[in-house]
C-alpha cells in the first residue's frame, strides 16, 4: 500500500518482496530468494544484513539518502531509481543496474563491481572492490561527475561527457573513455597500463606530481599533460594537440607516439628514449640526461637542455625553434636526402656528429 508507515521492517523468508512507505524506513534482517523493491519518501537504512538472490530496486526520492552499509549484505544486483546520497556494501560481487543519484555514491565489495544499466551520479562516486577484484563500468552513457577507486584490480570507466578522477589505487589496468575532458583531483597510482580516450577535441590533464603510472597510452585526445613521480613507459598514442610530460624517472616507449602539436618532455637527471616509429611535430626537452628521439618525418627541436648525450634520428629535415644546450655528444641522422639546420647562434653543443 502506498500509505504504509513502518518504523522498521524485516523479512525472515520470502520469494519476491515489494515494500512502500510514506516516510523513512529501517530494514531489519531480510532473506529473499527473489527480488526486493523498496520505495519510500524518506531515508532507507538498515539494522542487519540483507540477502537478496535476484535484483534489488530502491527509490527514496531525490532528496533522501540510502545507506545499506552492512558489510555482510549479499545483493545480486542493485538499482536506485532515485536517491540523494547512496552507500552500498556487499560481501562479494555486485551488479549495478540503471541508477539515478542526485548526491554521492559509495560502493564497497569483496568482489567485482559491474553494471547492466546506465549510472548517473551528480556528485562524487567512490568504489572499493579490493585489490584482486575488477570494476567495469563500460556503458558509454554513464554520467559520473568524479570517480575515486580506493582499491581494485582492473578498472574500466566510460562517461558520456567530462570526468574528474579522484584518488585511485589500482593494482591492475585502468581504461578511461569519455566524450569530454579527463582531469584529476587526487593521486593516481596504477600498476598496469593506463589507457585514456577523451576524443580528439578534448583534453587530458593528469598533472599531479605524485601520480605513479607504469605505462600510459592515449588513444585519442587534444592537449595532454601528464606528471609522474618516477619512470613511465609511453605506449601507442595519438594526440591531436600538444603533449607535456614531466617525470621523476626515465621516459621510454613501447609503441608509436603521434603528436600533432608541440611536445615538451622533462625527466630531471634521467634518460629519455623514444625510439619507436614516432611522429612528433616539434619537441623540446626541458631537462634530461641522455636523450634519444626517433621520428618518421621531419622534426623541429624546441628549446632543450640536456646534461648527457643527445641522439636524433629522423626521416625528414631537422630544424630548430629554440636554443639547444647539450653537455655530452650530439648525433643527428636525417637521412641522405634531408637537411639539418641548427643555426641558432646561442646553441651550446659539446660535440656534434652527423
Amino acid at each position: 500500500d502506498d500509505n504504509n508507515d513502518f518504523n522498521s521492517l524485516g523479512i525472515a523468508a520470502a520469494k519476491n518482496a515489494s515494500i512502500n512507505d510514506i516516510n523513512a524506513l529501517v530494514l531489519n534482517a531480510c532473506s529473499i530468494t527473489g527480488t526486493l523493491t523498496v520505495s519510500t519518501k524518506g531515508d532507507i537504512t538498515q539494522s542487519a544484513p540483507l540477502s537478496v538472490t535476484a535484483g534489488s530496486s530502491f527509490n527514496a526520492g531525490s532528496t533522501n539518502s540510502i545507506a545499506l552499509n552492512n558489510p555482510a549484505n549479499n545483493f545480486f544486483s542493485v538499482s536506485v531509481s532515485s536517491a540523494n546520497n547512496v552507500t552500498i556494501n556487499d560481501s562479494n560481487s555486485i551488479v549495478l543496474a540503471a541508477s539515478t543519484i542526485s548526491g554521492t555514491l559509495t560502493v564497497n565489495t569483496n568482489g567485482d563491481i559491474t553494471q547492466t544499466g546506465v549510472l548517473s551520479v551528480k556528485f562524487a562516486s567512490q568504489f572499493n572492490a579490493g585489490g584482486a577484484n575488477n570494476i567495469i563500468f563500460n556503458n558509454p552513457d554513464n554520467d559520473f561527475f568524479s570517480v575515486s577507486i580506493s582499491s581494485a584490480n582492473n578498472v574500466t570507466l566510460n562517461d558520456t561527457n567530462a570526468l574528474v578522477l579522484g584518488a585511485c589505487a589500482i593494482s591492475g589496468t585502468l581504461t578511461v573513455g569519455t566524450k569530454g575532458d579527463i582531469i584529476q583531483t587526487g593521486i593516481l597510482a596504477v600498476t598496469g597500463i593506463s589507457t585514456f580516450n577523451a576524443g580528439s577535441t578534448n583534453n587530458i590533464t593528469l598533472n599531479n606530481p605524485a601520480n605513479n603510472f607504469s605505462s600510459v597510452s592515449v588513444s585519442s585526445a587534444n592537449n595532454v599533460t601528464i606528471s609522474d613521480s618516477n619512470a613511465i613507459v609511453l605506449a601507442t598514442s595519438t594526440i591531436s594537440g600538444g603533449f607535456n610530460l614531466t617525470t621523476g624517472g626515465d621516459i621510454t616507449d613501447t609503441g608509436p607516439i603521434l603528436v600533432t602539436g608541440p611536445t615538451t618532455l622533462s625527466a630531471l637527471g634521467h634518460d629519455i628514449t623514444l625510439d619507436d616509429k614516432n611522429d612528433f611535430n616539434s619537441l623540446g626537452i626541458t631537462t634530461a640526461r641522455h636523450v634519444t628521439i626517433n621520428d618518421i618525418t621531419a622534426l623541429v627541436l624546441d628549446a632543450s637542455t640536456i646534461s648527457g648525450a643527445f641522439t636524433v634520428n629522423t626521416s625528414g629535415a631537422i630544424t630548430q625553434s629554440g636554443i639547444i644546450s647539450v653537455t655530452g655528444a650530439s648525433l643527428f641522422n636525417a637521412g641522405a636526402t634531408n637537411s639539418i639546420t641548427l643555426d641558432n647562434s646561442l646553441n651550446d653543443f659539446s660535440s656534434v656528429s652527423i
Side-chain angles (χ1 to χ4, degrees):
D1 191 286
D2 291 339
N3 295 317
N4 293 328
D5 188 3
F6 301 107
N7 175 31
S8 65
L9 184 146
I11 299 175
K15 186 179 180 182
N16 301 319
S18 181
I19 302 163
N20 289 353
D21 196 287
I22 61 171
N23 49 36
L25 178 64
V26 179
L27 293 174
N28 299 327
C30 293
S31 180
I32 299 170
T33 58
T35 62
L36 171 63
T37 302
V38 180
S39 181
T40 69
K41 295 180 181 178
D43 295 345
I44 302 172
T45 58
Q46 70 180 129
S47 66
L50 308 178
S51 177
V52 186
T53 303
S56 299
S57 178
F58 300 96
N59 182 350
S62 61
T63 61
N64 302 309
S65 298
I66 298 173
L68 304 176
N69 54 1
N70 190 305
N73 290 333
N74 188 3
F75 298 108
F76 170 70
S77 70
V78 170
S79 171
V80 178
S81 304
S82 177
N84 185 21
N85 300 319
V86 176
T87 299
I88 299 170
N89 287 0
D90 195 285
S91 59
N92 44 42
S93 61
I94 195 169
V95 178
L96 297 180
S99 296
T100 300
I101 298 169
S102 57
T104 63
L105 171 63
T106 302
V107 180
N108 300 294
T109 70
N110 288 315
D112 294 346
I113 305 173
T114 58
Q115 71 178 132
T116 57
V118 176
L119 305 178
S120 177
V121 186
K122 188 172 183 179
F123 294 109
S125 299
Q126 182 168 348
F127 303 98
N128 182 354
N133 303 308
N134 301 325
I135 297 173
I136 303 175
F137 297 141
N138 56 0
N139 190 308
D141 294 322
N142 291 332
D143 189 3
F144 299 106
F145 170 71
S146 70
V147 171
S148 299
I149 308 292
S150 302
S151 177
N153 184 28
N154 300 319
V155 175
T156 298
L157 302 173
N158 283 358
D159 195 285
T160 190
N161 44 39
L163 181 63
V164 179
L165 295 176
C168 293
I170 298 170
S171 57
T173 63
L174 171 62
T175 303
V176 181
T178 69
K179 295 177 184 177
D181 294 346
I182 302 173
I183 61 175
Q184 71 179 128
T185 57
I187 298 168
L188 307 179
V190 186
T191 302
I193 186 170
S194 299
T195 302
F196 300 99
N197 184 350
S200 61
T201 61
N202 303 308
N203 301 325
I204 298 173
T205 306
L206 305 175
N207 58 355
N208 190 310
N211 290 334
N212 188 2
F213 298 107
S214 171
S215 67
V216 170
S217 172
V218 178
S219 303
S220 177
N222 185 26
N223 297 315
V224 176
T225 299
I226 297 173
S227 294
D228 193 283
S229 58
N230 44 39
I232 195 169
V233 178
L234 298 176
T236 301
S237 296
T238 301
I239 299 170
S240 58
F243 182 34
N244 192 312
L245 174 61
T246 301
T247 71
D250 294 347
I251 301 173
T252 57
D253 61 7
T254 58
I257 304 166
L258 170 62
V259 186
T260 303
T263 298
T264 303
L265 306 175
S266 178
L268 178 63
H270 298 279
D271 299 339
I272 298 174
T273 306
L274 302 179
D275 55 2
D276 209 294
K277 296 177 180 179
N278 301 314
D279 188 2
F280 300 106
N281 178 23
S282 68
L283 184 144
I285 307 295
T286 303
T287 180
R289 188 172 56 179
H290 304 307
V291 177
T292 297
I293 305 294
N294 285 3
D295 195 290
I296 60 172
T297 58
L299 179 63
V300 178
L301 296 176
D302 299 327
S304 298
T305 300
I306 299 166
S307 61
F310 188 28
T311 300
V312 180
N313 299 295
T314 69
S315 295
I318 302 174
T319 58
Q320 71 180 125
S321 65
I323 299 167
I324 302 170
S325 176
V326 185
T327 303
S330 297
L331 172 63
F332 300 100
N333 179 3
T337 60
N338 301 307
S339 301
I340 299 173
T341 307
L342 303 175
D343 55 359
N344 191 306
S345 62
L346 298 178
N347 289 335
D348 187 4
F349 297 106
S350 172
S351 66
V352 174
S353 300
I354 305 295

